[in-house]
Amino acid sequence: MKKTALIIQHFLLPDEMAVLEKDFRVIRIWKERDPETTIQENKDNIVVVISSLLPVRRSLIEALPNLEIIANMAVGVDNVDLEAARERSIVVTNTPAVLTNDTADIGLSLVLALARRIVEGDMYVRVGKWQNGPLPLGVTLTGKKAGIVGLGRIGLAVAKRLAAFEMDVVYHGPNRKEDQPYEYYDDLEKMAGDVDFLILCCAGGPATENLVTYEVLEALGPDGFLVNIARGSVVNEEDLLMALSNKKIAGAGLDVYTNEPYVPSPLLTMDNVVVLPHLGSATYETRTEMGRLVLENIQAHFNGEPLLTAV
Ligand code: GLV
């Protein structure tokens, strides 16, 4: 029996799927009528699990006695139970670096969309409101201050783009980055109080869960915008809904949510909120590169070669 790869999220493009299928029998779990039974019937042959954002839980890992590698097609691995993988010496890989610029571009798109009411303006024209008068004014970006949470690869790429818009950049994270020119805040609430845009670029997972609370949003204030290109879990979603309803912040641009692909329905009725369906890495070029890395990591593992991007 050919070794089996279990794919639990549909992100690999057809060319890369074809390459995978040369070496592995592939189970596409979303195509299975009864996924639990399929996993149970194939448990001894599944040596690879590929996901992106959907959870790879301890229960799945424990159900697969011969699993060797979890190749996550994402930079984030907060969806993978790393502890359960470590206990069984299962290799985990991700796809860093190749998605940095595209994800930063989505961050900037949200900043622009919020400040200049781009999405609202488009709707305004489509529904024929323009004839009744102009759209309310937006805000200038030049000279405004943005606070980045998580000055990693993506945060830095966002900072570079903000600088091109002549915005001031400051940042918060667990550590000051001595090699960066931006002002560091060790206190998130204090930084939120000093900025016009709070842009979340950090990793998800327990260390950043519910980092952005009602208090942080209150500090951001009625003229401040929140942009989240990190993970839904970084923001307390209840607090965000409350802050938006109470006009404690000016608006929010969101690419990520706590329970994707479900978006809290109150957000859908708010003109000052831009909602995207987790588009950070969603370009042909970047998804191709991510898929290539997934395949190369799997090949390296089974050839006994060094992994390209082990977690
Ligand atoms: C996308 O959110 C990723 O982690 O790659």
Side-chain angles (χ1 to χ4, degrees), residues 53 74-76 99 231 278 290:
L53 304 165
V75 59
L99 46 68
R231 283 290 183 266
H278 205 143
M290 291 164 75

Side-chain angles (χ1 to χ4, degrees), residues 115-248:
R116 304 307 305 274
R117 299 176 176 264
I118 303 291
V119 177
E120 228 183 316
D122 178 271
M123 285 303 288
Y124 203 74
V125 174
R126 285 176 199 270
V127 302
K129 283 194 183 169
W130 194 12
Q131 289 78 9
N132 304 334
L135 187 72
L137 300 177
V139 296
T140 297
L141 285 181
T142 309
K144 291 281 162 33
K145 192 178 271 195
I148 295 181
V149 177
L151 198 69
R153 262 186 293 249
I154 295 171
L156 278 170
V158 169
K160 213 159 103 184
R161 285 156 174 74
L162 294 168
F165 282 83
E166 299 179 34
M167 293 175 73
D168 290 332
V169 174
V170 299
Y171 72 102
H172 166 76
N175 302 305
R176 182 191 300 276
K177 310 243 170 175
E178 300 297 349
D179 55 343
Q180 295 304 330
Y182 311 109
E183 187 184 342
Y184 173 67
Y185 283 75
D186 61 4
D187 183 330
L188 174 57
E189 203 173 313
K190 178 149 184 7
M191 182 175 84
D194 285 352
V195 301
D196 305 288
F197 290 83
L198 185 64
I199 308 178
L200 311 180
C201 302
C202 54
T208 56
E209 195 170 345
N210 288 330
L211 196 62
V212 177
T213 55
Y214 194 75
E215 290 68 34
V216 170
L217 295 168
E218 243 184 342
L220 181 58
D223 297 324
F225 293 95
L226 176 76
V227 168
N228 191 1
I229 56 169
R231 283 290 183 266
S233 60
V234 179
V235 180
N236 183 313
E237 226 162 53
E238 288 292 313
D239 286 3
L240 174 61
L241 291 174
M242 211 159 39
L244 284 163
S245 310
N246 297 343
K247 309 251 177 291
K248 294 291 179 190

